[in-house]
């Protein structure tokens, strides 16, 4: 990738949003994780969207963590209405580069606020549990909420507000709203003429629990209408500031992109910015999301054409398909990643009954259990299998 623009440690993005960089740059985290303070300037209460943490390709040293925490402190200190405090931390998904430092942030805030004022709440949309026929794509995520909960076990009642069940994580719901009203206008009285509102949108694909958050301007709505104009969309890792996103389930990912397009299409003519989980602000959000969707649809067409072109309708492996689609257009160092991407397309086409999978035993001497169990290297399902184009009716019979 071409070199990325440098991002400052703290940037004021609008009247309502300040970005604090996670200080964990790397191959997957780009300039580092973007964490966002969201607020009304006339209210002392701030929301924090995401924290920081290491990822598989980027460590977070203790000095980098201290830099992040002190950036956060200075951003809180420069808030116009004092004494300002973070009341809620909202996590966009379980990935460690967004969640690992939650405990550190909570402890820092408790010290900053003093014991009586503490009580920050931590919110997260639950990972798919595997019940209700949920996709295999989410299998590895079933334990992630419990792991995060264990991380937060040691936090005391003066640091963190727990749920009535005693858990540290409060469960986010799709459509849940957080009101950011000026002081004196209690959210309960709905006196939010000049307020902004923060609404949770569940957008699975990158992970099962990924959310985006829509920031809405309540002052623009007339009392008779519930229509309010979006000010910005926080996209976490569903849409990034540079390059393309990765995802666990392509079919879920494409539906999520389609619903985001709907959400932004209903707004007026002014482009809505995206505030991504990594990388610079995207000024025209709708255009970027459409571009992501088109990119995936084009790749799907290539996969379908390549499978249809296989003589005799024989099964080919994802690796062979990579060679036929990419040929020499990408360096061999990128072929594994490309094959991984194609597998997600093949799995989506299989779910739709358009492609058949012919199971093949994995090569001898390769211990898939060890590779998949907790290590960094995971061999994706279907890596060694054959894939072939089938007529829809044949695929349905094949499944019976
Ligand atoms: Zn992520
Ligand atoms: Zn991330």
């Amino acid at each position: 990738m071409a070199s990325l623009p440098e991002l400052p440690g703290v940037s004021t993005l609008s009247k309502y949003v300040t970005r604090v960089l996670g200080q964990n740059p790397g191959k997957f985290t780009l300039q580092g994780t973007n964490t966002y303070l969201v607020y009304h300037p006339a209210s002392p209460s701030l929301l924090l969207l995401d924290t920081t943490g290491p990822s598989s390709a980027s460590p977070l040293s203790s000095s980098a963590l201290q830099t992040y925490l002190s950036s956060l402190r200075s951003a809180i200190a420069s808030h116009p209405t004092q004494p300002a405090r973070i009341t809620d931390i909202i996590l966009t998904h379980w990935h460690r580069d967004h969640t690992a430092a939650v405990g550190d942030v909570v402890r820092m805030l408790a010290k900053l606020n003093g014991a009586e004022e503490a009580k920050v709440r931590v919110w997260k949309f639950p990972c798919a549990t595997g019940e209700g026929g949920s996709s295999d794509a989410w299998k590895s995520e079933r334990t992630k909420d419990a792991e995060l909960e264990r991380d937060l076990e040691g936090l005391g009642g003066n640091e963190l507000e727990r749920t009535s069940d005693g858990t540290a994580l409060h469960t986010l719901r799709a459509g849940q709203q957080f009101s950011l009203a000026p002081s004196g206008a209690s959210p309960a009285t709905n006196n939010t003429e000049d307020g902004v509102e923060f609404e949770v949108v569940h957008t699975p694909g990158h992970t099962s629990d990924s959310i985006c958050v829509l920031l809405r301007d309540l002052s623009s709505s007339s009392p008779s209408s519930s229509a309010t104009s979006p000010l910005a969309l926080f996209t976490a890792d569903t849409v990034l500031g540079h390059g393309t996103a990765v995802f666990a389930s392509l079919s879920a990912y494409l539906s999520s992109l389609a619903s985001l397009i709907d959400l932004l299409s209903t707004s007026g003519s002014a482009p809505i910015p995206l505030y991504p989980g990594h990388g610079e602000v995207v000024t025209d959000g709708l255009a970027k999301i459409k571009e992501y969707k088109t990119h995936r649809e084009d790749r799907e067409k290539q996969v379908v054409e390549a499978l249809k072109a296989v003589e005799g309708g024989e099964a080919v492996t994802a690796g062979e398909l990579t060679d036929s689609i990419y040929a020499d257009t990408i360096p061999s160092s990128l072929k594994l990643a490309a094959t991984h991407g194609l597998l997600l397309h093949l799995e989506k086409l299989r779910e739709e009954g358009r492609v058949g999978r012919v199971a093949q035993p994995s090569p001898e001497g390769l211990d898939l259990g060890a590779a998949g169990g907790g290590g960094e290297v995971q061999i994706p399902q279907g890596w060694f299998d054959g894939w072939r184009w089938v007529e829809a009716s044949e695929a349905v019979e094949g499944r019976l």
Side-chain angles (χ1 to χ4, degrees):
M1 190 180 290
S3 66
L4 298 167
E6 206 171 305
L7 300 183
V10 180
S11 327
T12 304
L13 302 180
S14 80
K15 187 180 163 191
Y16 306 112
V17 182
T18 295
R19 179 183 62 207
V20 183
L21 195 62
Q23 304 298 335
N24 57 343
K27 185 176 165 202
F28 301 115
T29 55
L30 308 181
Q31 295 97 326
T33 303
N34 290 328
T35 81
Y36 295 97
L37 282 170
V38 191
Y39 44 79
H40 192 287
S43 159
S45 304
L46 296 87
L47 300 185
L48 176 65
L49 188 68
D50 276 338
T51 66
T52 183
S55 82
S56 54
S58 45
L60 178 70
S61 67
S62 66
S63 73
L65 176 63
Q66 291 314 317
T67 305
Y68 170 70
L69 294 175
S70 76
S71 303
L72 200 54
R73 274 195 300 270
S74 73
I76 298 168
S78 55
H79 183 68
T81 304
Q82 294 290 337
R85 57 177 282 255
I86 293 175
T87 56
D88 298 271
I89 299 174
I90 294 162
L91 302 172
T92 59
H93 63 298
W94 65 267
H95 280 166
R96 302 296 289 165
D97 56 317
H98 300 251
T99 59
V102 174
D104 300 290
V105 171
V106 168
R107 273 181 220 106
M108 182 276 280
L109 294 176
K111 266 191 215 141
L112 202 63
N113 294 337
E116 289 123 71
E117 287 284 352
K119 298 282 185 191
V120 62
R121 285 172 293 259
V122 180
W123 298 85
K124 186 184 163 300
F125 196 93
C127 286
T129 57
E131 283 155 29
S134 91
S135 161
D136 269 1
W138 314 131
K139 231 183 221 167
S140 64
E141 301 183 1
R142 287 175 196 164
T143 54
K144 299 302 177 189
D145 287 339
E147 287 167 25
L148 186 54
E149 191 64 48
R150 263 201 304 282
D151 273 5
L152 305 179
E153 227 166 43
L155 293 169
N158 57 335
E159 294 169 309
L160 186 84
E161 184 177 320
R162 290 179 177 269
T163 65
S164 51
D165 297 334
T167 62
L169 293 176
H170 294 247
T171 302
L172 280 181
R173 290 171 287 102
Q176 187 167 345
Q177 294 168 344
F178 292 80
S179 173
L180 298 159
S183 271
S186 141
T189 60
N190 228 5
N191 179 14
T192 49
E193 291 135 50
D194 183 31
V196 280
E197 183 179 75
F198 193 79
E199 182 177 324
V200 175
V201 187
H202 183 214
T203 50
H206 174 66
T207 57
S208 65
D209 60 336
S210 283
I211 59 160
C212 291
V213 178
L214 191 65
L215 187 67
R216 282 208 182 96
D217 183 1
L218 296 176
S219 63
S220 64
S221 67
S222 69
S224 58
S225 147
S226 62
T228 51
S229 40
L231 290 170
L233 182 70
F234 298 88
T235 53
D237 289 3
T238 297
V239 181
L240 301 180
H242 315 278
T244 56
V246 296
F247 35 80
S249 163
L250 179 59
S251 48
Y253 184 69
L254 284 176
S255 332
S256 291
L257 291 185
S259 56
L260 292 179
I261 289 171
D262 282 350
L263 201 64
L264 296 191
S265 300
T266 54
S267 68
S269 49
I272 311 296
L274 304 183
Y275 296 148
H278 304 278
E280 187 55 287
V281 175
V282 175
T283 42
D284 188 343
L286 187 58
K288 178 58 109 187
I289 299 170
K290 284 181 173 167
E291 179 192 311
Y292 263 50
K293 190 155 172 281
T294 308
H295 174 68
R296 286 297 141 201
E297 286 162 352
D298 289 349
R299 181 59 30 86
E300 178 169 299
K301 274 183 211 140
Q302 284 180 310
V303 172
V304 169
E305 290 311 314
L307 282 174
K308 279 182 172 171
V310 177
E311 273 188 51
E314 277 184 38
V316 292
T317 65
E320 289 165 340
L321 210 54
T322 306
D323 288 336
S324 80
I325 290 176
Y326 293 93
D328 298 330
T329 60
I330 54 171
S332 52
S333 58
L334 291 181
K335 286 227 165 127
L336 282 183
T339 305
H340 198 287
L342 287 190
L343 269 174
L344 294 162
H345 281 277
L346 290 165
E347 182 54 29
K348 170 180 177 282
L349 291 165
R350 192 193 62 79
E351 285 169 24
E352 294 165 355
R354 298 162 73 195
V355 159
R357 179 165 134 194
V358 183
Q360 296 289 333
S362 39
E364 270 183 48
L366 193 82
D367 186 353
L368 278 178
E376 291 297 340
V377 182
Q378 290 212 12
I379 296 177
Q381 280 207 354
W383 190 266
F384 301 107
D385 293 344
W387 301 83
R388 64 190 184 97
W389 184 252
V390 290
E391 297 302 326
S393 58
E394 193 190 335
V396 171
E397 279 166 33
R399 268 187 293 179
L400 292 175

